[in-house]
Each structure stands twice: as C-alpha cells, then as structure tokens.
Amino acid sequence: MIAFVEGQVDTLAPDAAVVKVGGVGLLVHCAPGTLAQLTVGQQARLATSLIVREDSLTLYGFADDDERTVFELLQTASGVGPRLAQAMLATHRPDTLRTIFATQDQRALTLVPGIGPKGAQKLLIELKGRLGAPSGAAAQGASGGPAAGGAAPGVTPWRGQLLEALTGLGWTARDAEAALADVEPVAAEAEARGDTPQLPVLLRAALRSLKR
C-alpha cells in the first residue's frame, strides 16, 4: 500500500493532481477541497489510498490520514466504491460523516450527489458504528443542529455541491474555492434567516464572482 506521496505538484486538474516523486509523476485523484490546497510548483504531502482493479491501479489522495481512513471505511458498505466515497467526503467532513451515521441522519446523507433516500437508508444501517464516534462541533448534529434549531457548526453541504458544479463547468479547483469564499456571506445571510442556502442562487453569485 502507498500510504502517502510527497513531492512537487506538477499539474492540477478538476479532479486530480500530478505529484513528482523520485522523478516519476504520480496521478492522484482528489476531492476539490484537497486540490484547492495545492499549488503547482510547490511541495505537497498527501495521504493516499491505492485502489487495485484487474485492469487499473488508481491512487486517491487526501489532506490527512483521517480523511483516508474514513474513505476506506465508507467502502466497506456494499455498493460504495471509491468515487462515491470521495463524493461523500467532498460534501461532508470526516467528523460530520461520523455524526450522520451515529445519529442516522438520512437528510444529511442525501445531500451527497448520487445518494437517494433509499440508498441513504441502506448505508445508514450498514455503516452505523463503523466510522467511530464523532468529536468536536460536528457531534452537535449533522442536519438539524443544536436544539435551538440552527445549523450545526462545520456542516456546509452546499460547499461540496457548489464545488462540484463549478469544476464541472470547467473552472479549476482553486478558482472554485476562491468563488466559494466570495459567496460565503450570501450563504451566511440565508442561514441567519433560518433558511437553507439555495444552490442555484449561490451558483449565480459564484459565476458573477469568477467573471469579474
């Protein structure tokens, strides 16, 4: 198993990075949030998970060991492959996912692209207890938040959806992350009113920011 790769970032793509290690360029598939932390020409260290198939060897990269651990545990559920596991981590942070499965929060799980209500029910049953106990702010709740009714700290499912939408439109992960920072006040204003930030509204605001 390749536990991590460390070297200079050679190129960045919407869903992967090429990292030079010992004169070899390794293609590492990463979520948008991880790619946004990388810069071409600079050193990087990524925790990795190697997926071996009959016809391919695919390397997935993560910001830290905890993300990699959750990525691998998610795939112990039937029907969950590396792409879906990565989509789950692009939408929710590792500790938020622990809370989702600990509290059986179906609504929060269906925010992940590719997971519907029936699939969420099945995954909640299969993965309950496998990811370990949540800690920190995410333990307060995954979708409903604290008893007062506000959103739980650290839970921003719209971020993963907006990142996916922007990179799907051809923007780089770095540009998409910059646009997310610009629309954060729009989302915060909606949450302050007790509303859920609407992806179409955020996407329009992000595109205006990118075109400036």
Side-chain angles (χ1 to χ4, degrees), residues 25-107:
L26 297 179
L27 180 67
V28 187
H29 294 269
C30 305
T34 301
L35 290 170
Q37 300 175 37
L38 306 178
T39 302
V40 172
Q42 293 190 3
Q43 291 290 116
R45 184 184 191 278
L46 295 171
T48 56
S49 179
L50 180 64
I51 304 298
V52 180
R53 298 285 187 264
E54 289 185 3
D55 59 349
S56 66
L57 296 173
T58 307
L59 199 59
Y60 287 84
F62 310 91
D64 54 42
D65 293 342
D66 189 35
E67 281 192 6
R68 180 188 59 207
T69 298
V70 172
F71 172 80
E72 293 174 347
L73 287 172
L74 290 171
Q75 293 176 74
T76 62
S78 59
V80 178
R83 290 189 179 277
L84 183 55
Q86 192 174 59
M88 293 166 76
L89 282 166
T91 306
H92 296 295
R93 298 172 185 172
D95 214 36
T96 301
L97 284 170
R98 292 188 180 98
T99 300
I100 288 171
F101 289 106
T103 61
Q104 298 290 280
D105 192 338
Q106 179 178 328
R107 175 187 169 278

Side-chain angles (χ1 to χ4, degrees), residues 9 28 33 43 52 60 81 91-92 109 111 125 129-130 147 156 161 166 177 191 196 205:
V9 179
V28 187
Q43 291 290 116
V52 180
Y60 287 84
T91 306
H92 296 295
L109 196 54
L111 294 172
I125 294 171
R130 292 193 192 179
T156 53
Q161 295 170 326
L166 291 172
E177 279 285 349
E191 291 169 342
T196 300

Side-chain angles (χ1 to χ4, degrees), residues 1 3 12 16 18 23 29 37 44 50 64 69 75 80 92 112 121 143 146 178 182 187 205 207-208:
M1 176 182 176
L12 290 172
V18 174
H29 294 269
Q37 300 175 37
L50 180 64
D64 54 42
T69 298
Q75 293 176 74
V80 178
H92 296 295
V112 178
Q121 288 179 350
S143 66
D182 287 341
L207 290 173
R208 285 196 300 269

